[in-house]
Amino acid sequence: MRTRTLGTLACAMLVLAGCGRMGDSGLNPMRWFGGSQQPQTLEPEGGYPTTVQDGRVPMAHVTSAKWEPLYEGRMLVVTGLAASKGWWDVALVTEAPMPRGRIRPDQNGVLRLRLVGKPPLADTFAAANPPNPASDTVTVAMTIPNAVLPELREVVITGAANAVSLRR
């Protein structure tokens, strides 16, 4: 009887030792049949991006910026001029990395944007010719929702050669 009691106690101690910290041990009964391992963090693999690397470069000049009223907020309309003809995929991007579809100003109430685009291929007609300011301007827009407007004091749009500031 003593041997059976000692054997039962040894098995119970082994099972309890396997349950240590619920998931760390290979003897844990919860992991015997392929129990799921929960992620330890919500951070994506490789961490959060620190810079935006989309291959676009700043446009040469930001010529103007203005506000247009919308029902759901305001639309920021920016006009720029490239260094040559043929620029494409022009957009306004935030200087600080932000999740897609979310915009927020910094702690001073300033939203910093860059006017960027992709230049034409190097050996093309468009790349060799300077732009005509009357016909080769580029206009892009960004919607600023009502939820962001109370925190927003100023918008600064930066190009390669200049920057334009627009107060709310």
Side-chain angles (χ1 to χ4, degrees):
M1 176 126 155
R2 281 184 170 237
T3 310
R4 250 191 276 176
T5 305
L6 288 175
T8 305
L9 285 175
C11 286
M13 289 174 47
L14 181 64
V15 167
L16 288 176
C19 294
R21 291 189 48 197
M22 288 308 291
D24 290 344
S25 172
L27 299 176
N28 185 343
M30 300 295 275
R31 294 184 56 191
W32 287 353
F33 302 107
S36 64
Q37 186 74 305
Q38 300 236 346
Q40 299 297 323
T41 180
L42 295 176
E43 183 175 342
E45 288 184 28
Y48 290 105
T50 56
T51 60
V52 176
Q53 298 175 349
D54 62 359
R56 294 184 283 194
V57 295
M59 298 279 288
H61 296 283
V62 179
T63 56
S64 68
K66 65 180 180 177
W67 290 110
E68 293 289 334
L70 292 175
Y71 180 73
E72 62 270 2
R74 287 190 178 181
M75 183 182 298
L76 176 64
V77 180
V78 178
T79 305
L81 187 63
S84 66
K85 294 179 180 280
W87 280 60
W88 57 285
D89 197 16
V90 179
L92 288 168
V93 296
T94 58
E95 286 188 5
M98 294 184 194
R100 181 179 289 281
R102 291 198 183 166
I103 298 170
R104 71 175 187 283
D106 62 9
Q107 63 271 14
N108 297 327
V110 179
L111 178 62
R112 300 181 188 283
L113 302 172
R114 290 183 299 136
L115 182 61
V116 296
K118 291 186 180 177
L121 296 174
D123 297 332
T124 61
F125 172 78
N129 289 309
N132 180 359
S135 63
D136 293 327
T137 58
V138 177
T139 302
V140 294
M142 175 183 276
T143 303
I144 310 291
N146 281 330
V148 176
L149 289 176
E151 303 168 0
L152 185 64
R153 190 174 52 85
E154 181 179 14
V155 177
V156 177
I157 304 107
T158 307
N162 69 335
V164 171
S165 177
L166 186 63
R167 292 198 178 264
R168 195 172 79 84

